[in-house]
Amino acid sequence: MIRNINNKKEQLTRAKQITGKVIIYCVLVLFALWILVPFSIIIVTSFKTAREASNPEFSFFPKDFTADGYKDVFTYTAGGEGMPLLIRGFLNTFLIVIPPTVLGLFCSAMSAYAFAKLRFKGKNVLFSALLMTMMIPGTIMLTPSYMIYTLLGWVDTPLPLMIPGMFGAATCVFFMRQFYSGIPSSLIEAAKLDGMGYFKIFWKIMVPLSVPALLAQGILGFIAGYNDYFGPYLYLQDPKWYTLQIALNSFQGSYSRNIPAMMAGAVIALIPTLIIYIVAQKYFIEGIATSGMKL
């Protein structure tokens, strides 16, 4: 009798577990379809003709397969001459985004190391003030920032998009501080006994141990700058400085009726971020997962 009751309990438990897994997988499949179906439509539409793409009768697979949309994207120039606008947009984007990402990550990591492992007066007050800056909406600082950059003569140059980011970001400092706090202080004390200075400890010990976290923050910073539209739209007025997002917007205005060309531009713009994620996926997940954990 008792054995039968136990068997029934085990069967109910297994049934609940199986039901829970089925529900979870169904939800995950729905979310995956929510993302993949529009993305698939964009890719398929980029290989259609303009007439077929604008046809009210939608068909998933193209009847006349063509790559004219990609040809239009790579041959479009803003003034009808010079380098294609999309290629120029790629080069400008990398020029504007990569230096602030690298230097800003370095400065943020040094600040995080100081807040996590060094002892100095006012450390907690300064860190609290740093966290308070994260609560300030960016739109509040928009007008004074623009006025300052106008006085400096930086408007219509990439400097407003590059220089501030080179000094780091509060969110990155907070994240890296949580990571460095999980590194045993005994390593630093041992390094001090060996005669290493603060910067050498940071460069020789902290940086190698925090490579996954640094890569994760670097990827997030690069993608944020890569996808930024409002900043370049506000400060860059000369087409020679257009970033990829502004170039795509200009392209959309000229090819508003050429739907395959617009879809092709969107696909091309997605390729760098997809490559970065595929290559650095392991380190990105590791860096996020180990934040704040004891190493």
Side-chain angles (χ1 to χ4, degrees), residues 41-280:
I41 293 175
I42 291 174
I43 296 177
V44 171
T45 305
S46 66
F47 291 103
K48 292 182 178 181
T49 61
R51 179 178 297 180
E52 182 182 356
S54 58
N55 192 338
E57 296 181 1
F58 175 77
S59 61
F60 187 80
F61 295 102
K63 297 178 181 178
D64 297 322
F65 188 89
T66 179
D68 289 342
Y70 292 89
K71 181 180 178 181
D72 293 336
V73 169
F74 282 109
T75 56
Y76 171 73
T77 57
E81 58 182 9
M83 183 183 299
L85 189 61
L86 188 74
I87 298 177
R88 185 185 295 274
F90 267 115
L91 296 177
N92 289 338
T93 298
F94 291 139
L95 175 65
I96 292 173
V97 173
I98 290 178
T101 300
V102 175
L103 294 178
L105 187 62
F106 179 74
C107 292
S108 297
M110 284 199 301
S111 301
Y113 164 64
F115 283 123
K117 296 300 181 182
L118 302 187
R119 297 179 181 178
F120 54 91
K121 292 183 178 180
K123 180 175 72 172
N124 294 331
V125 176
L126 289 175
F127 187 69
S128 299
L130 180 70
L131 294 182
M132 288 176 62
T133 61
M134 297 171 58
M135 312 301 172
I136 302 175
T139 52
I140 294 179
M141 304 300 297
L142 184 62
T143 300
S145 297
Y146 189 85
M147 294 175 63
I148 292 173
Y149 296 143
T150 301
L151 292 175
L152 293 174
W154 286 5
V155 176
D156 203 18
T157 70
L159 295 179
L161 304 174
M162 298 177 65
I163 301 301
M166 292 182 179
F167 295 94
T171 52
C172 185
V173 173
F174 174 75
F175 180 90
M176 293 304 302
R177 178 185 177 274
Q178 296 301 109
F179 188 92
Y180 287 147
S181 297
I183 297 177
S185 299
S186 57
L187 291 175
I188 298 175
E189 297 300 328
K192 289 181 180 179
L193 292 177
D194 290 340
M196 295 177 67
Y198 290 122
F199 183 79
K200 195 171 184 180
I201 292 173
F202 167 75
W203 188 251
K204 294 290 186 179
I205 296 178
M206 307 300 284
V207 170
L209 290 176
S210 60
V211 168
L214 290 172
L215 285 176
Q217 289 301 300
I219 292 171
L220 292 174
F222 176 83
I223 292 177
Y226 182 85
N227 292 329
D228 185 22
Y229 173 81
F230 186 72
Y233 181 78
L234 181 65
Y235 294 113
L236 303 179
Q237 301 167 4
D238 192 338
K240 72 177 183 180
W241 287 116
Y242 278 1
T243 60
L244 179 61
Q245 307 303 327
I246 305 300
L248 288 176
N249 182 67
S250 175
F251 178 81
Q252 181 180 358
S254 300
Y255 287 84
S256 58
R257 296 184 179 180
N258 192 341
I259 299 177
M262 291 190 293
M263 297 298 105
V267 172
I268 295 171
L270 284 171
I271 290 176
T273 55
L274 290 177
I275 293 175
I276 291 173
Y277 179 75
I278 292 172
V279 172

